[in-house]
Amino acid sequence: MSGSAVSGGGTAWPREQIEHDLSSLVPGFTVEVVPTIGSTNTELMQRARAGRLEPVLLLAELQTAGRGRLGRQWQSGATASALTFSLGLVLAPADWSGLSLAVGVSLVDSLHPALRLKWPNDLWWRDRKLAGILIETASLGETRYAVVGVGINLAKPKAGDFSTPPAGLGEVIPGVTAQAALRQIAAPLVRAVKGFEATGFAPFKDRFNRCDALAGVDVTLSDGVDGTARGVDERGALLVHTAQGLRKVTSSEVSVRPLRPPDYENI
């Protein structure tokens, strides 16, 4: 382990190696590890609003006030139980639609091909949630700073009040550690985000559809409409066949719940 590895809570993080991997993609990239924080996303958003727009990966060994989509709480500790971090950098894509899906594609590609993506921002193992993604942005004049938050369960969480049953990455990759997972996903994630900036979501479309957890599944939208999910389009909108015809659903409009679990024997 490098002498510049960060140690906290008995855990060493290969910061120098990850910074080396990332600096070739975005000059000046740094990796920060903190023992405890409320939310890595909140911290980077506050920095951005204060004019600090440097590219950074901020990791918390314990996150006490993490947030998911729609304001849901995500409390977690790194190392043994979970990996929680946020990636912050200036982005200027022509179209922001589908960024969370592109991030999800990168995570699946880096971690394990058996994982599935539940539109718009979750990774699933079978019919259980393994990881979540939260995208936030801050604007300063014409500059826009993107914060990509990622929370991955390493061990299956204990029973609790979960809207979707949880899973752990250790069920898919036995013996996986937070350090190994971070090293595996960090550079491909930054590469994917920069690729999205250059080309938009379209090049990620087919990759998403290959690991789409909702493909062919009957779904109900939060406005009460039922239909069958049929993948996503070039901008990341979910395609749902309903009694009224094809509907394109964006994450800002509705949330989606499957009416039945996917048939994992046939995907």
Side-chain angles (χ1 to χ4, degrees), residues 6 32-37 40 47 58-62:
V6 177
E32 297 180 31
V33 180
V34 295
T36 305
I37 201 169
T40 53
R47 293 184 189 183
L58 176 62
L59 180 142
E61 294 193 317
L62 176 63

Side-chain angles (χ1 to χ4, degrees), residues 6-266:
V6 177
S7 180
T11 303
W13 297 92
R15 187 179 69 183
E16 184 178 74
Q17 292 95 324
I18 295 175
E19 285 184 345
H20 178 269
D21 294 342
L22 299 182
S23 62
S24 63
L25 302 172
V26 180
F29 218 110
T30 61
V31 176
E32 297 180 31
V33 180
V34 295
T36 305
I37 201 169
S39 163
T40 53
N41 260 44
T42 297
E43 172 65 20
L44 292 188
M45 288 291 288
Q46 290 175 344
R47 293 184 189 183
R49 292 181 180 122
R52 296 180 56 185
L53 305 179
E54 61 269 15
V56 61
L57 189 155
L58 176 62
L59 180 142
E61 294 193 317
L62 176 63
Q63 187 169 237
T64 60
R67 294 175 289 109
R69 184 169 171 262
L70 304 179
R72 297 187 181 99
Q73 185 178 15
W74 180 295
Q75 181 169 332
S76 59
T79 66
S81 62
L83 172 64
T84 56
F85 67 89
S86 295
L87 172 72
L89 70 169
V90 172
L91 284 184
D95 185 352
W96 288 83
S97 303
L99 177 54
S100 67
L101 279 63
V103 169
V105 167
S106 175
L107 294 177
V108 168
D109 286 350
S110 296
L111 291 172
H112 199 284
L115 299 180
R116 293 290 179 261
L117 291 167
K118 189 265 183 182
W119 185 95
N121 62 343
D122 291 342
L123 273 69
W124 277 12
W125 167 241
R126 301 279 175 173
D127 57 347
R128 295 175 292 137
K129 181 176 177 177
L130 186 144
I133 299 161
L134 178 64
I135 309 290
E136 299 181 282
T137 65
S139 297
L140 284 85
E142 297 183 358
T143 301
R144 198 164 175 184
Y145 190 79
V147 176
V148 178
V150 175
I152 303 173
N153 296 327
L154 299 178
K156 178 182 176 181
K158 297 178 181 179
D161 184 18
F162 299 105
S163 58
T164 301
L169 187 60
E171 298 176 70
V172 191
I173 310 174
V176 67
T177 65
Q179 296 84 355
L182 182 66
R183 181 74 191 275
Q184 194 164 325
I185 65 181
L189 176 57
V190 173
R191 191 176 296 113
V193 170
K194 294 297 291 181
F196 175 90
E197 179 182 38
T199 65
F201 177 72
F204 296 89
K205 172 191 167 184
D206 289 344
R207 291 158 64 192
F208 181 93
N209 285 334
R210 284 196 294 270
C211 54
D212 182 5
L214 297 180
V217 172
D218 296 332
V219 298
T220 183
L221 310 181
S222 59
D223 60 3
V225 174
D226 293 336
T228 303
R230 299 296 184 190
V232 298
D233 69 6
E234 289 77 6
R235 301 184 69 235
L238 181 69
L239 303 176
V240 180
H241 283 279
T242 73
Q244 294 75 38
L246 180 66
R247 179 165 168 180
K248 294 185 177 183
V249 181
T250 67
S251 60
S252 62
E253 293 174 344
V254 295
S255 59
V256 175
R257 291 291 178 193
L259 293 175
R260 58 177 174 80
D263 179 3
Y264 291 101
E265 299 302 319
N266 294 302

